[in-house]
């Protein structure tokens, strides 16, 4: 069962419905003046966190103190973390700060792109479409809503997983006890935290914890503000020697399309992704060979745990990329060669299976009956999706009613008896919505 990384602080939540309106999978309901998440529908995209004006939504993380439980403390840091900082702080200076937080080994997540490209050059079929599996929020969405597209997913492990494997292999080769190695991922992404905290997942096997990027940023920034220049006596730089220019841009929009010579396209932002997947499901013939989908605007630079303006962050990445080589350097190549067998044996993920969003009933005939009921109830509701009932749309209220999770009494419009109020509402929504279905002026409570 997928872990959920978001929680709503009921003491802070006002039930204002901002989150409910933004949720792309209609996973939020308002009850008793507070928002609640239907965990089966949530894909951990974090859009609700962005939408909440009261700061009531929190993203879980591994307590920072967990890091000190391990003798070898490995940070897998994506390039976008370094891009959170203004140019006044150099990459080595930031690396030094991360080490001063207690990490003994530092790997750039994007080095994993070079490892992947080296060990398994991407083969895009000449016909048919391959969809990137990189963004975990999109992958969960496909599992839930577009299961027919699961066949088209690429199964290569994401670069962060590859580097977690690489780091462990290098440190084990030093003769270190496996139990004393802790690998932590600095993440901009609520969906990644959910993966890492899901028992039995690949991520929970490869990472001992996730550090939220905003937390790590604040800690590093605090160190940097009291250590204005790098200390030459302290180690800086990555344990693993960097990456190529194209690898560095992997998490930006079109980053994965770089190097795909066939027809490739990128779509970012969840509502665009959903629009496009709807079209694909309707058998739109795109002639595309590769499709990159990012839940966040501007890719991971727009991740919910980032702190900097996403355009500035991506600009910093592009600037950094200009100073990097276009080909693997010898140091990188040598280390890849050394551990290639270990990585090669575990480079592919299992194909994800469909996950049911709404459980109507464990009994199939009852489930079909409830689905039919929900369609009838939806026809009876006004269809104006006002949200006053605490569900995002009339259709979701109808589904909740059919599953005995809500009552038709929650529909405020159906309960209106005052002709003056009805007249006012019909000026806004028209007579058709208000006169449709059950409403006939009689008491429906
Ligand atoms: S994380 Fe995304 S899917 Fe889950 S409740 Fe928030 S907006 Fe909805
Ligand atoms: S675009 Fe990046 S940060 Fe956003 S959900 Fe996907 S992987 Fe996470």
């Amino acid at each position: 069962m997928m872990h959920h990384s978001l929680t709503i602080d009921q003491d802070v939540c006002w039930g204002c419905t901002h989150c409910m309106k933004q949720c792309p999978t209609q996973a939020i309901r308002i009850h008793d003046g507070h928002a609640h998440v239907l965990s089966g529908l949530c894909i951990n995209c974090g859009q609700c966190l962005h939408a909440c004006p009261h700061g009531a939504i929190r993203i879980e993380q591994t307590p920072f103190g967990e890091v000190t439980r391990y003798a070898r403390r490995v940070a897998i840091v994506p390039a976008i973390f370094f891009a959170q900082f203004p140019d006044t702080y150099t990459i080595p200076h930031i690396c030094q700060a991360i080490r001063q937080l207690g990490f003994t080994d530092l790997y750039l997540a994007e080095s994993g792109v070079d490892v992947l490209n080296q060990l398994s050059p991407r083969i895009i079929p000449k016909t048919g479409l391959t969809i990137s599996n990189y963004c975990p929020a999109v992958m969960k969405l496909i599992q839930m809503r577009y299961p027919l597209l699961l066949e088209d997913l690429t199964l290569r492990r994401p670069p962060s997983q590859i580097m977690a494997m690489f780091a462990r292999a290098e440190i084990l080769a030093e003769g270190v006890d496996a139990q004393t190695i802790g690998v932590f991922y600095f993440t901009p992404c609520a969906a990644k935290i959910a993966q890492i905290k899901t028992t039995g997942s690949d991520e929970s096997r490869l990472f001992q914890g996730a550090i939220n990027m905003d937390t790590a940023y604040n800690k590093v920034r605090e160190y940097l503000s009291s250590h204005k220049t790098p200390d030459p006596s302290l180690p800086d730089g990555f344990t693993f020697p960097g990456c190529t220019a194209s690898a560095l841009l992997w998490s930006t929009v079109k980053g994965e399309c770089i190097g795909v010579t066939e027809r490739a396209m990128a779509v970012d932002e969840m509502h665009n992704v959903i629009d496009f997947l709807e079209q694909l499901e309707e058998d739109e013939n795109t002639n595309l060979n590769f499709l990159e989908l990012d839940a966040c605007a501007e890719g991971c630079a727009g991740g919910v745990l980032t702190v900097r303006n996403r355009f500035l962050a991506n600009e910093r990445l592009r600037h950094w990329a200009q100073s990097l080589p276009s080909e693997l350097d010898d140091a990188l190549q040598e280390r890849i060669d050394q551990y290639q067998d270990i990585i090669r044996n575990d480079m592919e993920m299992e194909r994800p299976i469909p996950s049911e969003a709404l459980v109507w009933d464990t009994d199939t005939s009852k489930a079909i009956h409830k689905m039919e009921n929900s369609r009838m109830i939806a026809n009876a509701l006004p269809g104006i999706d006002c949200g006053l009932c605490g569900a995002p749309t009339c259709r979701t209220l109808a589904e909740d009613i059919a599953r005995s999770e809500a009552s038709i009494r929650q529909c405020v419009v159906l309960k209106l008896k005052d002709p003056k109020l009805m007249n006012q509402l019909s000026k806004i929504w028209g007579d058709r919505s208000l006169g449709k279905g059950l409403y006939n002026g009689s008491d429906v409570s």
Side-chain angles (χ1 to χ4, degrees):
M1 177 124 174
M2 181 83 173
H3 184 89
H4 285 275
S5 56
L6 290 104
T7 51
I8 299 180
D9 184 337
Q10 300 293 317
D11 292 335
V12 183
C13 173
W14 286 20
C16 67
T17 76
H18 282 82
C19 59
M20 184 179 84
K21 288 177 188 148
Q22 278 305 311
C23 175
T25 57
Q26 300 173 327
I28 296 181
R29 305 287 183 273
I30 311 291
H31 287 307
D32 297 330
H34 303 298
H36 301 268
V37 178
L38 302 184
S39 56
L41 291 176
C42 176
I43 56 171
N44 293 289
C45 64
Q47 306 276 309
C48 51
L49 177 102
H50 266 320
C52 177
H54 306 294
I57 300 180
R58 313 221 188 288
I59 300 187
E60 224 181 288
Q61 67 178 319
T62 305
F64 209 82
E66 281 282 301
V67 175
T68 55
R69 289 183 44 210
Y70 299 89
R72 290 298 283 269
R73 302 175 287 272
V74 182
I76 306 287
V77 188
I80 201 66
F81 179 71
F82 296 92
Q84 301 304 297
F85 296 85
D87 287 346
T88 36
Y89 299 108
T90 62
I91 306 299
H93 199 182
I94 298 167
C95 286
Q96 195 169 83
I98 298 172
R99 286 175 181 277
Q100 290 314 106
L101 293 183
F103 289 96
T104 53
D105 300 88
L106 197 50
Y107 287 71
L108 184 66
E110 280 74 5
S111 304
V113 179
D114 288 324
V115 178
L116 277 167
N117 288 340
Q118 198 66 15
L119 299 185
S120 121
R122 173 180 288 155
I123 299 159
I124 304 292
K126 290 279 177 254
T127 54
L129 176 66
T130 303
I131 303 176
S132 162
N133 64 350
Y134 173 62
C135 175
V138 170
M139 211 163 71
K140 187 71 193 159
L141 179 79
I142 293 176
Q143 282 179 274
M144 246 170 58
R145 282 225 206 146
Y146 311 99
L148 292 179
L149 299 178
L150 287 171
E151 276 301 307
D152 300 327
L153 284 178
T154 170
L155 298 178
R156 294 207 312 178
R157 289 196 182 284
S160 56
Q161 289 190 13
I162 295 289
M163 285 327 280
M165 289 159 58
F166 216 102
R168 195 166 277 278
E170 286 203 321
I171 297 169
L172 284 173
E174 292 172 28
V176 173
D177 174 3
Q179 303 302 318
T180 64
I181 305 170
V183 183
F184 295 84
Y185 183 56
F186 284 24
T187 179
C189 176
K192 195 77 189 171
I193 295 173
Q195 281 187 329
I196 290 174
K197 288 190 172 278
T198 296
T199 314
S201 67
D202 278 350
E203 284 76 9
S204 70
R205 170 172 65 89
L206 294 167
F207 297 100
Q208 279 58 60
I211 307 290
N212 290 13
M213 194 167 277
D214 50 357
T215 305
Y217 173 83
N218 288 332
K219 286 184 182 292
V220 167
R221 191 78 200 243
E222 199 182 321
Y223 174 88
L224 293 172
S225 55
S226 56
H227 298 78
K228 301 268 184 228
T229 53
D231 181 341
S233 68
L234 294 174
D236 58 15
F238 299 105
T239 310
F240 193 83
C243 69
T244 59
S246 59
L248 193 80
L249 298 176
W250 169 273
S251 70
T252 62
V253 175
K254 295 197 184 137
E256 291 179 73
C257 296
I258 300 172
V260 176
T261 46
E262 295 83 357
R263 295 180 70 173
M265 190 180 86
V267 180
D268 66 332
E269 287 194 63
M270 200 42 124
H271 64 101
N272 295 328
V273 168
I274 290 175
D275 279 354
F276 195 79
L277 290 176
E278 296 285 338
Q279 281 188 30
L280 267 189
E281 231 199 7
E282 281 168 24
D283 214 15
E284 163 96 25
N285 187 3
T286 59
N287 287 326
L288 286 170
N289 297 105
F290 182 73
L291 180 61
E292 172 194 319
L293 300 168
D294 302 301
C296 300
E298 290 288 305
C300 297
V304 289
L305 295 168
T306 55
V307 292
R308 196 175 198 202
N309 175 285
R310 56 183 183 263
F311 301 103
L312 282 172
N314 273 345
E315 192 283 330
R316 191 175 195 208
L317 277 190
R318 284 192 293 275
H319 182 69
W320 180 9
Q322 283 170 15
S323 64
L324 295 177
S326 55
E327 300 291 332
L328 278 185
D329 66 24
D330 292 346
L332 205 56
Q333 182 68 65
E334 244 174 59
R335 283 166 83 169
I336 293 174
D337 290 347
Q338 211 173 337
Y339 296 101
Q340 57 172 308
D341 291 342
I342 295 171
I343 309 292
R344 227 188 265 279
N345 285 338
D346 197 10
M347 276 199 348
E348 287 220 334
M349 309 183 336
E350 273 182 33
R351 189 170 298 286
I353 54 170
S355 68
E356 204 174 347
L358 267 190
V359 179
W360 289 91
D361 202 294
T362 44
D363 179 317
T364 314
S365 63
K366 283 187 188 161
I368 292 168
H369 181 64
K370 286 180 182 177
M371 284 162 84
E372 280 165 0
N373 267 354
S374 92
R375 273 192 286 276
M376 274 160 43
I377 298 167
N379 281 336
L381 292 172
I384 51 183
D385 299 342
C386 65
L388 285 172
C389 58
T393 61
C394 295
R395 185 184 55 75
T396 48
L397 177 64
E399 288 171 356
D400 293 351
I401 296 168
R403 293 184 305 121
S404 308
E405 300 285 330
S407 157
I408 199 152
R409 292 190 184 92
Q410 286 172 226
C411 178
V412 178
V413 174
L414 289 182
K415 288 176 84 163
L416 285 175
K417 286 178 283 182
D418 181 337
K420 270 194 200 152
L421 274 175
M422 285 305 286
N423 278 341
Q424 279 176 16
L425 287 178
S426 74
K427 279 187 190 146
I428 302 169
W429 288 312
D431 288 334
R432 205 171 51 140
S433 294
L434 300 180
K436 181 167 110 174
L438 284 189
Y439 181 74
N440 57 13
S442 59
D443 189 354
V444 292
S445 64

